[in-house]
Amino acid sequence: MGIALLAGQVPAVGSARAERAPPRPTMWYWHNWTDHDGISHMTKCPVRDFDLKTMSAPAGPQWQDRLKSGHAQVIFTVQPAHWNGVWHPDPTVQWIIPLRGTWYVTAMDGHKVVMGPGEVSLGEDQLSRKDAQGRVGHDAGNVGDGPVELMVIQTDEVPTVDRPCRFG
């Protein structure tokens, strides 16, 4: 016996045969953020404020965590083999998702994260400042001998300081 769900509803527990909603999932993203001294850092952050609801009826419910609504621009990029972005800040607060290939991001504190397809990074180091070595923002580049395909979602968020994991 199945249970029909209305948009935004979770199955009720009433009888011994009632189905229960699965536990809320947790997903993860890397956040490249800046501290009050202008130094960038990479922190692994949870996304866990999910609601079980349909995105478009009559499609079945799925777990959704709507971080914030606002204006965004989607950009697909292909970085050539051996691409290196050298030290630079992100142009805007942006989500970066590798689709094919492997790339890395190194923060000013020295923390290097290597990411492959499906991993997610939030670039928010716009307020970083040059350190004694002349580095600002982050260093990024490709790993391996092939190109890297990325989906970048640039937002209208205002960059912050000292707020690692502010989404999630």
Side-chain angles (χ1 to χ4, degrees), residues 42-148:
M42 293 293 287
T43 302
K44 191 170 186 177
C45 304
V47 176
R48 57 179 160 227
D49 189 21
F50 287 93
D51 293 313
L52 186 61
K53 59 186 178 182
T54 185
M55 287 185 83
S56 178
Q62 57 188 308
W63 290 107
Q64 299 175 45
D65 186 345
R66 294 184 180 260
L67 300 180
K68 181 170 184 325
S69 55
H71 297 285
Q73 178 176 354
V74 177
I75 303 169
F76 289 95
T77 69
V78 179
Q79 298 169 338
H82 309 287
W83 178 86
N84 185 290
V86 299
W87 288 96
H88 67 282
D90 286 298
T92 185
V93 178
Q94 60 187 15
W95 294 96
I96 306 155
I97 304 107
L99 303 174
R100 181 178 293 167
T102 303
W103 75 305
Y104 70 87
V105 174
T106 304
M108 294 168 68
D109 67 0
H111 189 173
K112 181 178 184 177
V113 176
V114 176
M115 292 169 269
E119 295 188 78
V120 179
S121 175
L122 175 64
E124 187 180 13
D125 61 358
Q126 294 80 16
L127 300 177
S128 58
R129 297 187 299 267
K130 281 190 180 179
D131 64 9
Q133 292 81 32
R135 303 175 303 179
V136 63
H138 63 280
D139 176 38
N142 294 358
V143 176
D145 293 326
V148 173

Side-chain angles (χ1 to χ4, degrees), residues 15-34:
S15 69
R17 295 190 47 88
E19 296 177 27
R20 292 184 180 208
R24 287 182 182 206
T26 299
M27 294 174 65
W28 298 90
Y29 70 95
W30 287 99
H31 188 182
N32 182 13
W33 60 279
T34 304

